Amino acid sequence: MSDLKEICAGLPLEPLPPNHRRNPEVPHAPVRTPNLSPEQERLALRNALRYFPPNLHGTLAPEFAQELRQYGHIYMYRFCPPYRMRAYPIHEYPCRTQQAASIMLMIMNNLDPAVAQFPQELVTYGGNGQVFSNWAQFRLVMHYLSVMTEEQTLVMYSGHPLGLFPSLPSSPRCVITNGMVIPNYSSRDEYEKMFALGVTMYGQMTAGSYCYIGPQGIVHGTMLTVLNAGRRYLGTDDLRGRVLVTSGLGGMSGAQAKAAVIAGCVGVIAEVDEAPLRKRHEQGWLMEVTSDLEHCIKRIREAKASKMALSLGYHGNIVDLWERLWQEYERTGELLVDLGSDQTSLHNPFSGGYFPASLNLRQAQQLMSNEPSRFRAAVQESLRRQVSAVNRLAEVGMFFWDYGNAFLLEAQRAGADVGCSAGGATEFRYPSYVQHIMGDIFSLGFGPFRWVCTSCDPADLQETDDIASAVLEAISATVTERVRQQYNDNIRWIREAGRHKMVVGSQARILYSDQKGRVAIAMAINKAIASGRVSAPVVISRDHHDVSGTDSPFRETSNVYDGSAFCADMAVQNFVGDAFRGATWVSLHNGGGVGWGEVMNGGFGLLLDGSEEAGRRARLMLNWDVSNGVARRCWSGNSNAYDTIQRTMEDQVQLQVTMPFPVQDDTLLDRALQG
């Protein structure tokens, strides 16, 4: 408790805390190369110093300058708290309102070393998904939240707390924007400069919105993706003896190992960095590890033959693994891989998100820092090699999809053979997983709904699991067969979630649900809090990667074909609509998943405290939060979305959606244009 009071006291200035610099015991973000001019370096330093009174500038300026030149950014390591960063029970936060305390809990969970990818650089996941830009911002935010009332809103500009502003009790307690850059200047190179200047920030998705729940957040979605890939590509629900090959074991991609085993298949995941690989192995998410390609091939063959569920981590480059799999096919005629994808951080390809096959990790990091142009060329050559091997395996029966990490987009930019002559701007040789596997789920209104038990008590999480399972079972008896399959997948998930030991960090859970399920679960949990069945408030949230939360033409909206895939009205409207319908906090981001300048996305957090008001807010906001995206997908011509929103209007008399009239005869268009 005393530690939390110190953290919430604001910036420690008299005296300054000791400068312990970077902790060598934790992983650190790659060195950034913003290529600032001398005048821009002066501006970055000036901007950092404005958080502190002038009498401290002489002390802080030299160390901030050293950070800028050594790491490419001013993180203000001196102000990193020396205490354990984690989610504490909500009642321990020194606050005037529980709404503010819930935000503090979520922020500290995002920065928990067990959760965060690079905790001292305030990066939660994805290589550059920031919670804040520097530690001064963290301390100021925690102070503002500790003193705010329910008639104030904290305004956040890309990590910077602009301040507390008067508002209504019904208003969000926090409004976050990240990366809101004028479109013509929203390029990757400009971003690196602006981040170094401290004026914008890449919040990924749930990093900058304070809603990350550890790799569990993507395990479930990955499991559903693998299951539905089996149904679509292999014609079966039974994935025993089937092999999935992919890459990445970081903050998000680390979920692949656990998801493969839950789905029942053999998951082989390549990772060049030993630290995250060992971390996943120690957590029990990765069953075996090898750095020997021959042993890797041997274990694939053995697991495939015995039909055992296995997660095998290959410590090496994914390119080498793909090429070795092709060599094995050429040698024996045996195709050892059924399904393939990639989850390297290719939204950030030239700053540590992807390492070329021709170099080991240390060599690649040195080249990236010292000769960025040569590193870029090596990355692109590696992408061409990777695609070449994938193409050859796909031609003999392996099914590959893009996992929304910009793999195909960056491969295309590198000159790899991923083009699709018959497709539009969002079409490639291989589909995005949204286009072929998960897009129909979004059109049915299903997406990643999640909650966090603020008591930090596992018993409360088990109670909410039981509540959610009962709710889904009751609803599943009343829905169509197509929708029932999704319910059954999620009932299976929630029943087994405790056994699979998903929790890393806060006591949180995720499942995929449609609009009816989300509202019903929220109402049931709120009722359980009121009765004391659940001992403390619960935060409900979702991933931004959802029905309505994200406009991303190469991922979430890649199956929108009316020309609006590059438009961002849906995500912006969702952010605004959630704010005035009752969210405790809301966020809107540029970038996330596919990368800076490629995506607009938003999210929310809403505190259920057992009150009637919390229930009213949840019902109103959750209904909007799903219907918005289904209505947009319906208007774009998606027949599943048409049916879904039609049924929703029948259930909700106040909902009136503009419905499309599709053209029945395409030859009419040709005749009209020719005439």
Side-chain angles (χ1 to χ4, degrees):
M1 189 70 170
S2 60
D3 292 349
L4 290 177
K5 286 182 178 179
E6 193 280 329
I7 288 173
C8 294
L11 282 168
L13 304 177
E14 295 180 0
L16 285 171
N19 185 12
H20 295 297
R21 305 185 187 278
R22 299 203 333 173
N23 179 1
E25 300 300 315
V26 299
H28 290 283
V31 173
R32 295 179 178 275
T33 54
N35 297 317
L36 299 182
S37 67
E39 192 54 42
Q40 288 171 327
E41 287 184 331
R42 288 169 56 85
L43 182 57
L45 194 55
R46 186 190 307 276
N47 288 347
L49 289 171
R50 60 186 165 177
Y51 285 103
F52 306 95
N55 65 302
L56 299 177
H57 289 184
T59 301
L60 297 176
E63 69 186 59
F64 288 174
Q66 182 183 9
E67 287 184 21
L68 180 63
R69 289 188 165 158
Q70 189 170 356
Y71 307 120
H73 188 75
I74 299 171
Y75 295 105
M76 306 185 186
Y77 292 113
R78 178 191 289 268
F79 296 96
C80 177
Y83 317 113
R84 171 65 198 276
M85 197 73 66
R86 65 176 178 87
Y88 291 85
I90 191 169
H91 67 270
E92 293 187 14
Y93 288 93
C95 288
R96 300 169 71 179
T97 166
Q98 280 192 324
Q99 292 186 31
S102 70
I103 301 172
M104 298 168 84
L105 180 153
M106 300 290 278
I107 288 172
M108 292 189 71
N109 185 68
N110 270 24
L111 294 170
D112 182 341
V115 173
Q117 186 179 13
F118 305 124
Q120 282 206 302
E121 287 74 46
L122 304 107
V123 172
T124 300
Y125 70 91
N128 60 350
Q130 303 284 149
V131 186
F132 302 106
S133 181
N134 59 59
W135 285 103
Q137 293 173 348
F138 165 80
R139 287 185 177 265
L140 286 172
V141 166
M142 296 298 280
H143 174 67
Y144 279 133
L145 290 171
S146 72
V147 300
M148 81 177 330
T149 71
E150 292 192 0
E151 293 185 338
Q152 290 174 303
T153 293
L154 175 60
V155 176
M156 297 295 301
Y157 280 18
S158 292
H160 169 67
L162 193 67
L164 293 174
F165 291 79
S167 62
L168 298 171
S170 59
S171 303
R173 298 282 69 81
C174 184
V175 175
I176 305 160
T177 51
N178 284 310
M180 295 293 107
V181 172
I182 303 301
N184 279 353
Y185 302 90
S186 189
S187 70
R188 191 175 285 150
D189 289 343
E190 288 295 332
Y191 166 73
E192 291 294 343
K193 288 184 169 60
M194 286 188 278
F195 180 62
L197 292 175
V199 297
T200 197
M201 189 181 85
Y202 185 72
Q204 264 285 359
M205 290 189 165
T206 52
S209 68
Y210 320 146
C211 291
Y212 189 64
I213 60 169
Q216 176 193 178
I218 197 173
V219 169
H220 183 41
T222 305
M223 183 203 73
L224 289 178
T225 300
V226 174
L227 285 175
N228 284 303
R231 291 165 182 154
R232 182 179 182 104
Y233 299 135
L234 307 176
T236 181
D237 283 301
D238 184 359
L239 296 182
R240 289 175 299 173
R242 303 291 192 160
V243 178
L244 165 70
V245 172
T246 180
S247 56
L249 285 165
M252 295 291 277
S253 56
Q256 296 180 104
K258 178 70 87 171
V261 171
I262 296 172
C265 68
V266 179
V268 186
I269 306 100
E271 171 60 62
V272 296
D273 188 347
E274 188 175 12
L277 189 144
R278 293 295 173 192
K279 181 177 181 179
R280 298 300 172 215
H281 189 237
E282 290 165 5
Q283 288 173 337
W285 288 45
L286 197 59
M287 294 163 66
E288 297 180 17
V289 174
T290 182
S291 58
D292 184 337
L293 262 180
E294 299 314 308
H295 181 71
C296 188
I297 295 296
K298 178 175 179 286
R299 289 298 290 134
I300 291 172
R301 184 172 277 115
E302 290 171 349
K304 189 176 177 70
S306 65
K307 296 190 174 183
M308 70 176 291
L310 173 68
S311 54
L312 173 62
Y314 168 58
H315 182 207
N317 198 288
I318 184 62
V319 179
D320 296 326
L321 179 56
W322 282 123
E323 290 177 343
R324 181 65 184 83
L325 286 164
W326 172 249
Q327 290 167 10
E328 193 66 14
Y329 176 80
E330 281 192 309
R331 186 178 69 85
T332 67
E334 183 181 9
L335 182 62
L336 291 177
V337 54
D338 300 285
L339 302 170
S341 192
D342 186 280
Q343 277 201 46
T344 49
S345 296
L346 272 160
H347 67 276
N348 186 35
F350 309 122
S351 298
Y354 183 96
F355 290 105
S358 54
L359 304 168
N360 64 36
L361 180 63
R362 184 175 182 82
Q363 290 169 335
Q365 289 174 329
Q366 289 175 340
L367 188 65
M368 179 174 63
S369 177
N370 299 330
E371 299 182 72
S373 60
R374 281 189 60 202
F375 180 78
R376 179 185 292 252
V379 164
Q380 293 186 325
E381 169 59 24
S382 194
L383 281 168
R384 291 192 292 270
R385 281 177 55 187
Q386 183 170 345
V387 167
S388 176
V390 166
N391 286 351
R392 282 175 283 172
L393 288 162
E395 286 168 1
V396 296
M398 185 264 292
F399 295 92
F400 186 89
W401 69 87
D402 183 293
Y403 213 108
N405 61 332
F407 173 76
L408 292 176
L409 183 62
E410 288 301 330
Q412 182 185 60
R413 289 168 175 168
D417 182 14
V418 294
C420 177
S421 58
T426 63
E427 300 287 311
F428 294 98
R429 179 172 185 154
Y430 305 105
S432 156
Y433 77 115
V434 172
Q435 287 173 307
H436 269 201
I437 303 170
M438 299 295 276
D440 283 348
I441 291 179
F442 286 166
S443 300
L444 295 170
F446 281 83
F449 180 62
R450 56 180 61 169
W451 62 90
V452 177
C453 297
T454 67
S455 64
C456 300
D457 185 350
D460 276 345
L461 183 59
Q462 182 60 57
E463 196 68 44
T464 57
D465 283 352
D466 294 343
I467 290 168
S469 179
V471 166
L472 295 182
E473 287 175 4
I475 296 175
S476 69
T478 68
V479 297
T480 65
E481 186 59 35
R482 185 184 187 97
V483 172
R484 187 175 297 115
Q485 183 185 62
Q486 302 306 322
Y487 269 91
N488 289 341
D489 284 347
N490 283 279
I491 291 167
R492 170 187 166 188
W493 160 265
I494 203 74
R495 283 175 176 167
E496 296 179 359
R499 177 166 62 84
H500 289 298
K501 299 179 180 177
M502 295 291 171
V503 171
V504 178
S506 60
Q507 292 294 317
R509 186 66 74 223
I510 186 171
L511 55 77
Y512 270 54
S513 182
D514 61 358
Q515 182 169 326
K516 185 178 292 186
R518 297 185 206 202
V519 173
I521 290 170
M523 294 299 102
I525 289 176
N526 196 53
K527 184 177 178 180
I529 297 166
S531 70
R533 182 179 169 190
V534 173
S535 70
V538 170
V539 171
I540 58 171
S541 182
R542 58 161 170 76
D543 196 346
H544 299 199
H545 166 66
D546 195 15
V547 180
S548 310
T550 299
D551 282 295
S552 177
F554 298 104
R555 196 163 83 172
E556 284 80 357
T557 48
S558 60
N559 65 336
V560 170
Y561 300 115
D562 68 344
S564 70
F566 292 89
C567 300
D569 301 81
M570 179 177 72
V572 175
Q573 287 280 357
N574 221 66
F575 160 80
V576 175
D578 284 352
F580 67 73
R581 286 179 174 87
T584 306
W585 71 96
V586 290
S587 66
L588 183 66
H589 301 185
N590 170 10
V594 181
W596 182 264
E598 307 284 358
V599 189
M600 291 292 286
N601 64 90
F604 73 86
L606 193 156
L607 185 68
L608 298 175
D609 60 8
S611 67
E612 290 184 9
E613 173 65 12
R616 187 187 68 80
R617 289 180 180 221
R619 177 177 282 108
L620 191 63
M621 197 213 71
L622 289 173
N623 277 313
W624 154 257
D625 194 67
V626 178
S627 281
N628 171 38
V630 177
R632 183 269 177 98
R633 293 167 193 278
C634 165
W635 185 247
S636 77
N638 187 292
S639 59
N640 286 328
Y642 186 102
D643 294 340
T644 302
I645 203 68
Q646 191 76 49
R647 287 194 300 271
T648 306
M649 284 193 287
E650 292 168 4
D651 291 340
Q652 298 182 11
V653 294
Q654 288 186 302
L655 177 65
Q656 299 181 36
V657 172
T658 305
M659 303 296 281
F661 294 97
V663 173
Q664 301 294 324
D665 180 8
D666 280 356
T667 63
L668 178 149
L669 307 177
D670 298 329
R671 292 197 303 273
L673 291 169
Q674 289 167 2

